[in-house]
Amino acid sequence: MYTKEIEITLTQLAKDLLSHLQQQQLLQSIDETLDALRRVISYNDWRYYVQSEPVISDYEYDQLFAWLKKLEGEHPELITADSPTQRVAQGLTKEFITVPHLVPMLSLENSYNADDLLDWDRKARESTGLPEIEYCIEPKFDGASISLIYEDDRLSRGATRGDGVAGEDITTNIKQIRSIPLSASFSKYGIHQIEIRGEVLINKNTFKAFNDKRIADNQPPLANPRNAASGSLRMVDPNEVAKRGLEAFLYHMSYHNMNRGQTEPDALKTHSGTLDLLSTLGFRSPAKEKKVVKGIDKVIDYVLQFETERDNLPYEIDGMVIKVNDYDLQDRLGMTTHHPRWAIAYKFKARQATSKLRSVEFQVGRTGSITPVAKIDPVPIGGVTVGSISLFNEEVIKEKDLKLGDTVLVERAGDVIPYIVKSVADLRDGSETDIVFPTNCPVCHDKLVKPEGESVWRCTNINCEAQVVERMIHFVSKDAMDIKSFGESNVRKFFLLGLLKDIPGIYELDFEKIGALEGFGKKSLTNLQAAIEQSKTQPLHRLIFGLGIRYVGETTAKTLANAVHHIMDLQNWTEEQILALEDIGPKVAGSIRLFFANNDNIEMLNKLAALGINMENTKRSTSEASGNLNGQTFLFTGTLHKLKRSDAEEMVEKEGGKIVSGVSSKLNYLVVGDDAGSKLEKAKKINTIKILSEDEFLQLLAVNS
Ligand code: IVH
């Protein structure tokens, strides 16, 4: 679709449009301007979402998009169905209507080893009488399958798989996936109507960021990217779907018919040709990932090699799909009632296993939250032995109807923490018992409370031993005071032995007694002593984060540290003053206020000050005077290549800029790395935010320094 010449023309056209916009001038006419804007925006959607190689900055893209919207607002009669503005939906979906697929969506037969593949190939050769067959191999994407229909080049319908015969019409939600073109030039190849299939995915980074946010909001994380993708496709609010950062791979043509008098293009004689054609037409297909080989031995080599790459991919795959490449041959092989004989899935090593749920422990977190943790008979899953699995909260136990003694299905997808998919109720023999959630704290025995609107039970006794220990573990941890060689096990050990009872106690340890303990040689003792001593000069934000104030993460800790000269200043701050700080909402402000209003906490801080721990914002006076990014707010999202995220943040702070935690109108710059997700989407909607690539960020620093 985009030849080199067209690409150059469209890039030039983008520049022309931008300069016309600056001078507030149309091109020759309104029609020409609208057409140019649509073509340039669609091209840049493709560069960004399909190729992952943008050619204009996000800021420029947003300007062009806003201009198109404005012009269409002034001339609604000129809006076209495939205008990029038409992805944006109005209102909620009332119901998803069931629609029949043009061709039933069959599933694939599974294979698990080389023998299965040899067997499958042998049958195919026997039935066709061919000595060797050409295969196309591609990833088996682990997402939600969809079917798209294009008629006269326009996307006319998007549907879920449903029962294979009919699915649900989710066209509005499908349009939120920016890598799916609203129109594609099928007619250039004579195609009138086409049904294509593919998989909707959420990439691992986007999924992780999404779950981190859910956990921070006390909501149980979604199980895996697959569930997240299929759940997202059925959300009633298309604008929410847009925020999920969904991606799509299209990998199968199930039906097509040609315009009258047109002959089929050669590309449509093979599966690999179809993938290439889809890619040419602007779709994201596995055109690059696929491999065409002759003979099953090469298939086996490729699938085994690909399995080793599995964890390096940005999205989840659960195997490979091997397809007979030639469509005529596919037709000759035909299908059984369940699956085609011309394709087979090769499933990678299972990341699921069953085990017995033996007990549930209730752990008390640093803020008193009670987390049920399932103890199962240890099972190996994807190379790791799993014995403990967080159940997050009481609701999860109820929803999954878990009982002690149940056989449970456990999954550990890629980088995702293990979770219980379900209990296998059919295997119950009546000896299973209910899981009883405690009414009192398992450690201090105080009554547990569940504040309204929250799903987590809490122990509110801040002197509860479990909380005290967890707070100390947090205080010494890497992201807080970073006391090397201290760690969780030493905190627990010293606490049990009565050598450590609270945070100030970390600086009053009796090293003679510790030296007498087993496993503490002279060297480790000196190291520990030095690390504790060193931590006294840590910057203020690390101390604030280390205090473990509820809802105060690293970014908020930095905001607070930057706002004061001395930590005790916060004692006199009102909730309103705290609220006025960047990115701090009422929940966080209330929690900070509560912390500094508590005498025990003030006493602890006084003790720490007396022990020589840095309580001051040493950067404030210097950076404010000299910083070139003074008062500017920054946020980083996605994977950076040249810089470590923490180093980049430090560079901003050195120049007097601030790091904020979320996208809001108070944000000045969003620096975007690879696989950026919802933050980028959100930022694009706020005109005042400047969106920078990593290189643009470095340039900005260079210019400013
Ligand atoms: S081909 C008639 N190719 O796996 C064959 N399927 O059990 C149509 N899947 O429902 C499917 N990646 O959701 C095909 N590269 C791929 C695939 C793929 C994932 C899913 C698809 C299908 C299931 C098969």
Side-chain angles (χ1 to χ4, degrees):
M1 173 168 66
Y2 296 115
T3 59
K4 253 288 102 352
E5 291 82 62
I6 298 181
E7 291 208 30
I8 294 168
T9 314
L10 286 170
T11 307
Q12 187 52 48
L13 190 54
K15 291 205 179 109
D16 283 355
L17 282 165
L18 284 163
S19 72
H20 275 78
L21 175 62
Q22 217 161 35
Q23 290 155 25
Q24 304 200 342
Q25 268 178 14
L26 294 176
L27 303 182
Q28 298 288 344
S29 66
I30 176 79
D31 287 308
E32 195 191 327
T33 314
L34 284 170
D35 181 62
L37 281 168
R38 286 173 194 144
R39 288 201 305 136
V40 163
I41 291 169
S42 297
Y43 168 64
N44 282 285
D45 276 342
W46 176 77
R47 291 292 316 197
Y48 191 101
Y49 293 101
V50 180
Q51 302 295 92
S52 306
E53 282 172 354
V55 282
I56 58 173
S57 76
D58 292 349
Y59 181 61
E60 291 168 327
Y61 176 98
D62 289 346
Q63 283 185 306
L64 295 175
F65 199 96
W67 193 18
L68 175 60
K69 247 182 116 173
K70 180 166 169 278
L71 292 178
E72 285 184 346
E74 290 161 5
H75 303 274
E77 72 286 0
L78 299 179
I79 297 175
T80 55
D82 62 350
S83 170
T85 55
Q86 299 310 296
R87 287 189 192 272
V88 185
Q90 310 267 306
L92 304 182
T93 309
K94 284 194 199 73
E95 70 172 322
F96 295 108
I97 295 160
T98 304
V99 284
H101 298 301
L102 298 185
V103 172
M105 286 174 87
L106 296 184
S107 61
L108 296 172
E109 186 186 349
N110 286 331
S111 68
Y112 299 92
N113 51 45
D115 282 348
D116 292 347
L117 289 175
L118 288 167
D119 221 35
W120 173 71
D121 169 66
R122 185 183 43 77
K123 281 190 216 149
R125 280 185 294 112
E126 279 171 9
S127 112
T128 56
L130 291 169
E132 193 175 58
I133 292 178
E134 184 175 83
Y135 294 111
C136 180
I137 318 153
E138 68 210 30
K140 182 168 188 304
F141 302 100
D142 197 8
S145 43
I146 51 159
S147 129
L148 307 177
I149 299 178
Y150 285 78
E151 271 166 340
D152 295 325
D153 292 348
R154 293 271 164 86
L155 171 66
S156 60
R157 194 186 82 185
T160 60
R161 178 178 189 279
D163 63 4
V165 176
E168 285 175 313
D169 187 328
I170 50 162
T171 314
T172 316
N173 286 352
I174 286 286
K175 285 185 179 168
Q176 308 311 314
I177 305 172
R178 303 280 280 267
S179 61
I180 296 181
L182 296 180
S183 65
S185 310
F186 286 109
S187 57
K188 249 189 171 171
Y189 298 87
I191 300 167
H192 163 60
Q193 188 191 32
I194 184 166
E195 186 182 50
I196 46 182
R197 305 242 159 110
E199 206 84 356
V200 169
L201 313 163
I202 291 191
N203 87 31
K204 293 177 193 168
N205 280 344
T206 311
F207 177 68
K208 187 168 181 312
F210 179 76
N211 263 352
D212 284 350
K213 176 145 193 326
R214 280 181 69 96
I215 292 171
D217 290 346
N218 271 328
Q219 288 175 289
L222 296 188
N224 53 35
R226 179 190 348 115
N227 290 9
S230 60
S232 303
L233 281 181
R234 299 192 69 262
M235 288 197 300
V236 291
D237 184 353
N239 296 312
E240 285 300 312
V241 181
K243 288 186 200 157
R244 291 277 174 106
L246 299 174
E247 303 182 9
F249 273 98
L250 279 308
Y251 49 63
H252 179 67
M253 175 179 72
S254 44
Y255 174 84
H256 70 290
N257 66 42
M258 306 296 292
N259 280 321
R260 198 188 293 258
Q262 298 276 358
T263 47
E264 216 169 57
D266 279 351
L268 295 192
K269 288 196 163 71
T270 60
H271 174 67
S272 59
T274 307
L275 294 184
D276 289 336
L277 180 70
L278 287 175
S279 172
T280 309
L281 286 169
F283 291 87
R284 193 173 181 202
S285 80
K288 284 198 206 108
E289 294 80 356
K290 75 169 185 311
K291 191 171 172 93
V292 178
V293 298
K294 284 208 168 74
I296 199 72
D297 292 342
K298 294 207 183 83
V299 169
I300 295 169
D301 287 348
Y302 191 60
V303 297
L304 293 179
Q305 179 209 323
F306 217 95
E307 184 162 11
T308 62
E309 297 289 315
R310 177 185 191 180
D311 287 337
N312 300 332
L313 293 174
Y315 44 81
E316 287 288 346
I317 63 172
D318 59 345
M320 304 294 282
V321 181
I322 301 111
K323 296 172 182 170
V324 169
N325 199 29
D326 184 272
Y327 283 149
D328 283 341
L329 206 52
Q330 285 192 4
D331 288 343
R332 272 166 65 191
L333 284 160
M335 45 190 87
T336 68
T337 43
H338 298 297
H339 29 246
R341 290 198 193 88
W342 45 263
I344 193 164
Y346 172 82
K347 300 277 276 191
F348 289 157
K349 258 196 275 5
R351 281 172 164 177
Q352 279 194 342
T354 53
S355 180
K356 280 265 179 204
L357 173 55
R358 295 296 177 195
S359 61
V360 173
E361 280 180 8
F362 295 90
Q363 292 181 354
V364 188
R366 124 179 99 83
T367 57
S369 57
I370 307 291
T371 306
V373 178
K375 298 286 168 181
I376 58 165
D377 288 344
V379 277
I381 311 178
V384 177
T385 302
V386 179
S388 283
I389 303 173
S390 173
L391 297 172
F392 296 100
N393 62 40
E394 197 183 11
E395 298 311 314
V396 173
I397 298 177
K398 284 189 189 152
E399 256 169 42
K400 300 200 168 164
D401 180 31
L402 300 178
K403 289 183 190 291
L404 297 179
D406 263 349
T407 300
V408 286
L409 181 64
V410 181
E411 180 166 321
R412 194 190 68 88
D415 309 328
V416 181
I417 41 174
Y419 71 100
I420 292 186
V421 182
K422 61 172 186 178
S423 64
V424 190
D426 286 351
L427 294 181
R428 284 183 182 158
D429 62 10
S431 64
E432 297 75 17
T433 52
D434 285 344
I435 297 165
V436 183
F437 213 90
T439 50
N440 291 70
C441 172
V443 177
C444 73
H445 308 294
D446 261 25
K447 195 135 192 70
L448 296 180
V449 296
K450 182 150 85 166
E452 213 172 295
E454 287 196 15
S455 48
V456 175
W457 286 94
R458 280 181 195 282
C459 163
T460 53
N461 169 17
I462 60 162
N463 297 317
C464 169
E465 277 190 4
Q467 290 187 46
V468 172
V469 170
E470 292 298 328
R471 283 202 293 269
M472 290 193 287
I473 292 171
H474 174 72
F475 188 86
V476 302
S477 69
K478 192 168 167 292
D479 294 332
M481 295 298 269
D482 192 20
I483 309 187
K484 299 212 169 51
S485 68
F486 209 123
E488 174 170 351
S489 64
N490 279 336
V491 172
R492 291 195 190 282
K493 193 188 286 174
F494 300 161
F495 184 80
L496 270 177
L497 294 171
L499 296 170
L500 176 65
K501 62 176 186 13
D502 54 16
I503 288 175
I506 293 168
Y507 297 94
E508 297 173 308
L509 284 175
D510 184 336
F511 287 103
E512 235 170 76
K513 281 192 183 152
I514 293 176
L517 297 177
E518 205 177 315
F520 272 95
K522 207 164 174 244
K523 187 145 183 254
S524 54
L525 200 65
T526 333
N527 285 346
L528 181 62
Q529 234 169 331
I532 294 174
E533 203 48 39
Q534 228 171 19
S535 76
K536 291 182 177 174
T537 55
Q538 285 287 24
L540 182 58
H541 66 85
R542 284 184 171 269
L543 172 67
I544 296 180
F545 178 59
L547 294 174
I549 307 169
R550 198 165 166 208
Y551 307 126
V552 175
E554 283 176 89
T555 308
T556 309
K558 282 181 181 165
T559 307
L560 288 174
N562 278 332
V564 295
H565 287 285
H566 192 283
I567 193 167
M568 287 309 189
D569 296 352
L570 286 168
Q571 207 185 340
N572 306 316
W573 280 46
T574 62
E575 200 161 318
E576 285 67 41
Q577 277 175 299
I578 305 174
L579 261 175
L581 294 174
E582 213 65 66
D583 255 331
I584 295 189
K587 200 168 70 172
V588 187
S591 167
I592 297 166
R593 184 72 210 104
L594 213 63
F595 184 91
F596 286 94
N598 179 312
N599 275 338
D600 290 345
N601 291 333
I602 299 302
E603 209 175 291
M604 170 178 71
L605 287 172
N606 283 333
K607 264 196 203 166
L608 286 173
L611 288 162
I613 284 84
N614 170 44
M615 301 266 144
E616 287 179 19
N617 173 10
T618 44
K619 270 201 298 191
R620 186 179 162 98
S621 44
T622 48
S623 69
E624 267 195 357
S626 65
N628 288 312
L629 301 178
N630 256 346
Q632 301 291 312
T633 56
F634 284 76
L635 178 63
F636 292 84
T637 184
T639 314
L640 303 180
H641 286 292
K642 298 189 175 152
L643 298 168
K644 256 177 59 188
R645 169 92 58 105
S646 52
D647 290 344
E649 289 179 350
E650 210 155 283
M651 287 159 86
V652 168
E653 284 167 347
K654 247 197 184 139
E655 291 300 326
K658 267 192 220 159
I659 305 296
V660 296
S661 61
V663 176
S664 73
S665 56
K666 292 179 191 163
L667 177 64
N668 300 116
Y669 293 95
L670 181 75
V671 183
V672 181
D674 279 358
D675 295 323
S678 56
K679 287 195 175 123
L680 175 59
E681 291 307 312
K682 195 167 170 194
K684 282 185 173 172
K685 299 201 179 98
I686 304 175
N687 279 337
T688 50
I689 300 177
K690 293 180 200 74
I691 300 178
L692 303 180
S693 66
E694 189 175 358
D695 283 336
E696 286 168 335
F697 166 70
L698 286 167
Q699 269 167 24
L700 178 79
L701 281 186
V703 170
N704 275 307
S705 58

mmCIF file of all heavy atoms in Angstrom, residues 197-211:
data_model
loop_
_atom_site.group_PDB
_atom_site.id
_atom_site.type_symbol
_atom_site.label_atom_id
_atom_site.label_comp_id
_atom_site.label_asym_id
_atom_site.label_seq_id
_atom_site.Cartn_x
_atom_site.Cartn_y
_atom_site.Cartn_z
ATOM 1 N N ARG A 197 -9.310 -13.176 9.779
ATOM 2 C CA ARG A 197 -9.308 -13.544 11.194
ATOM 3 C C ARG A 197 -7.984 -13.168 11.825
ATOM 4 O O ARG A 197 -6.950 -13.137 11.152
ATOM 5 C CB ARG A 197 -9.467 -15.066 11.313
ATOM 6 C CG ARG A 197 -10.691 -15.542 10.586
ATOM 7 C CD ARG A 197 -11.646 -16.174 11.530
ATOM 8 N NE ARG A 197 -12.965 -16.165 10.929
ATOM 9 C CZ ARG A 197 -13.592 -17.247 10.490
ATOM 10 N NH1 ARG A 197 -13.027 -18.427 10.617
ATOM 11 N NH2 ARG A 197 -14.791 -17.143 9.979
ATOM 12 N N GLY A 198 -8.048 -12.965 13.095
ATOM 13 C CA GLY A 198 -6.819 -12.631 13.788
ATOM 14 C C GLY A 198 -7.008 -12.690 15.284
ATOM 15 O O GLY A 198 -8.009 -13.224 15.780
ATOM 16 N N GLU A 199 -6.053 -12.150 15.979
ATOM 17 C CA GLU A 199 -6.039 -12.243 17.435
ATOM 18 C C GLU A 199 -5.796 -10.852 18.012
ATOM 19 O O GLU A 199 -4.926 -10.126 17.529
ATOM 20 C CB GLU A 199 -4.880 -13.173 17.810
ATOM 21 C CG GLU A 199 -5.042 -13.881 19.108
ATOM 22 C CD GLU A 199 -5.885 -15.152 18.980
ATOM 23 O OE1 GLU A 199 -6.413 -15.440 17.879
ATOM 24 O OE2 GLU A 199 -6.026 -15.840 20.007
ATOM 25 N N VAL A 200 -6.589 -10.515 19.012
ATOM 26 C CA VAL A 200 -6.368 -9.252 19.710
ATOM 27 C C VAL A 200 -5.550 -9.535 20.963
ATOM 28 O O VAL A 200 -5.833 -10.477 21.701
ATOM 29 C CB VAL A 200 -7.716 -8.584 20.058
ATOM 30 C CG1 VAL A 200 -7.522 -7.429 21.016
ATOM 31 C CG2 VAL A 200 -8.381 -8.107 18.786
ATOM 32 N N LEU A 201 -4.535 -8.726 21.194
ATOM 33 C CA LEU A 201 -3.601 -8.966 22.290
ATOM 34 C C LEU A 201 -3.385 -7.707 23.119
ATOM 35 O O LEU A 201 -3.637 -6.608 22.641
ATOM 36 C CB LEU A 201 -2.213 -9.297 21.746
ATOM 37 C CG LEU A 201 -2.037 -10.300 20.639
ATOM 38 C CD1 LEU A 201 -0.663 -10.116 20.043
ATOM 39 C CD2 LEU A 201 -2.178 -11.687 21.216
ATOM 40 N N ILE A 202 -2.881 -7.927 24.322
ATOM 41 C CA ILE A 202 -2.342 -6.786 25.079
ATOM 42 C C ILE A 202 -0.886 -7.114 25.302
ATOM 43 O O ILE A 202 -0.579 -8.223 25.762
ATOM 44 C CB ILE A 202 -3.039 -6.642 26.448
ATOM 45 C CG1 ILE A 202 -4.474 -6.208 26.241
ATOM 46 C CG2 ILE A 202 -2.300 -5.657 27.340
ATOM 47 C CD1 ILE A 202 -5.188 -5.782 27.496
ATOM 48 N N ASN A 203 0.005 -6.208 24.967
ATOM 49 C CA ASN A 203 1.402 -6.595 25.137
ATOM 50 C C ASN A 203 1.789 -6.615 26.612
ATOM 51 O O ASN A 203 1.111 -6.058 27.463
ATOM 52 C CB ASN A 203 2.347 -5.835 24.209
ATOM 53 C CG ASN A 203 2.807 -4.528 24.776
ATOM 54 O OD1 ASN A 203 2.951 -4.359 25.983
ATOM 55 N ND2 ASN A 203 3.041 -3.581 23.893
ATOM 56 N N LYS A 204 2.883 -7.336 26.889
ATOM 57 C CA LYS A 204 3.218 -7.641 28.289
ATOM 58 C C LYS A 204 3.415 -6.373 29.124
ATOM 59 O O LYS A 204 2.972 -6.307 30.266
ATOM 60 C CB LYS A 204 4.481 -8.496 28.342
ATOM 61 C CG LYS A 204 4.309 -9.893 27.763
ATOM 62 C CD LYS A 204 5.647 -10.617 27.807
ATOM 63 C CE LYS A 204 5.642 -11.872 26.979
ATOM 64 N NZ LYS A 204 6.998 -12.419 26.780
ATOM 65 N N ASN A 205 4.087 -5.365 28.532
ATOM 66 C CA ASN A 205 4.342 -4.135 29.298
ATOM 67 C C ASN A 205 3.056 -3.410 29.641
ATOM 68 O O ASN A 205 2.870 -2.943 30.770
ATOM 69 C CB ASN A 205 5.207 -3.169 28.487
ATOM 70 C CG ASN A 205 6.648 -3.563 28.557
ATOM 71 O OD1 ASN A 205 7.033 -4.356 29.416
ATOM 72 N ND2 ASN A 205 7.442 -3.033 27.648
ATOM 73 N N THR A 206 2.179 -3.292 28.628
ATOM 74 C CA THR A 206 0.910 -2.596 28.859
ATOM 75 C C THR A 206 0.121 -3.329 29.942
ATOM 76 O O THR A 206 -0.471 -2.719 30.827
ATOM 77 C CB THR A 206 0.084 -2.570 27.555
ATOM 78 O OG1 THR A 206 0.925 -2.117 26.518
ATOM 79 C CG2 THR A 206 -1.129 -1.693 27.674
ATOM 80 N N PHE A 207 0.142 -4.659 29.862
ATOM 81 C CA PHE A 207 -0.602 -5.474 30.820
ATOM 82 C C PHE A 207 -0.040 -5.282 32.229
ATOM 83 O O PHE A 207 -0.778 -5.133 33.201
ATOM 84 C CB PHE A 207 -0.511 -6.945 30.403
ATOM 85 C CG PHE A 207 -1.189 -7.880 31.350
ATOM 86 C CD1 PHE A 207 -2.573 -7.860 31.481
ATOM 87 C CD2 PHE A 207 -0.468 -8.780 32.117
ATOM 88 C CE1 PHE A 207 -3.220 -8.724 32.357
ATOM 89 C CE2 PHE A 207 -1.102 -9.643 32.991
ATOM 90 C CZ PHE A 207 -2.482 -9.616 33.115
ATOM 91 N N LYS A 208 1.277 -5.259 32.314
ATOM 92 C CA LYS A 208 1.899 -5.133 33.637
ATOM 93 C C LYS A 208 1.533 -3.778 34.253
ATOM 94 O O LYS A 208 1.149 -3.700 35.418
ATOM 95 C CB LYS A 208 3.418 -5.287 33.523
ATOM 96 C CG LYS A 208 4.082 -5.337 34.863
ATOM 97 C CD LYS A 208 5.512 -5.778 34.815
ATOM 98 C CE LYS A 208 6.106 -5.822 36.213
ATOM 99 N NZ LYS A 208 5.854 -4.616 37.017
ATOM 100 N N ALA A 209 1.643 -2.731 33.427
ATOM 101 C CA ALA A 209 1.324 -1.386 33.934
ATOM 102 C C ALA A 209 -0.135 -1.345 34.381
ATOM 103 O O ALA A 209 -0.468 -0.755 35.425
ATOM 104 C CB ALA A 209 1.573 -0.359 32.837
ATOM 105 N N PHE A 210 -0.992 -1.981 33.624
ATOM 106 C CA PHE A 210 -2.419 -2.007 33.947
ATOM 107 C C PHE A 210 -2.647 -2.708 35.291
ATOM 108 O O PHE A 210 -3.359 -2.209 36.163
ATOM 109 C CB PHE A 210 -3.147 -2.736 32.811
ATOM 110 C CG PHE A 210 -4.610 -2.870 33.019
ATOM 111 C CD1 PHE A 210 -5.446 -1.782 32.826
ATOM 112 C CD2 PHE A 210 -5.167 -4.079 33.417
ATOM 113 C CE1 PHE A 210 -6.815 -1.900 33.015
ATOM 114 C CE2 PHE A 210 -6.526 -4.203 33.612
ATOM 115 C CZ PHE A 210 -7.352 -3.113 33.414
ATOM 116 N N ASN A 211 -1.999 -3.849 35.461
ATOM 117 C CA ASN A 211 -2.177 -4.592 36.718
ATOM 118 C C ASN A 211 -1.539 -3.881 37.904
ATOM 119 O O ASN A 211 -2.082 -3.902 39.007
ATOM 120 C CB ASN A 211 -1.594 -5.999 36.583
ATOM 121 C CG ASN A 211 -2.673 -7.004 36.255
ATOM 122 O OD1 ASN A 211 -3.866 -6.678 36.266
ATOM 123 N ND2 ASN A 211 -2.277 -8.223 35.968
#
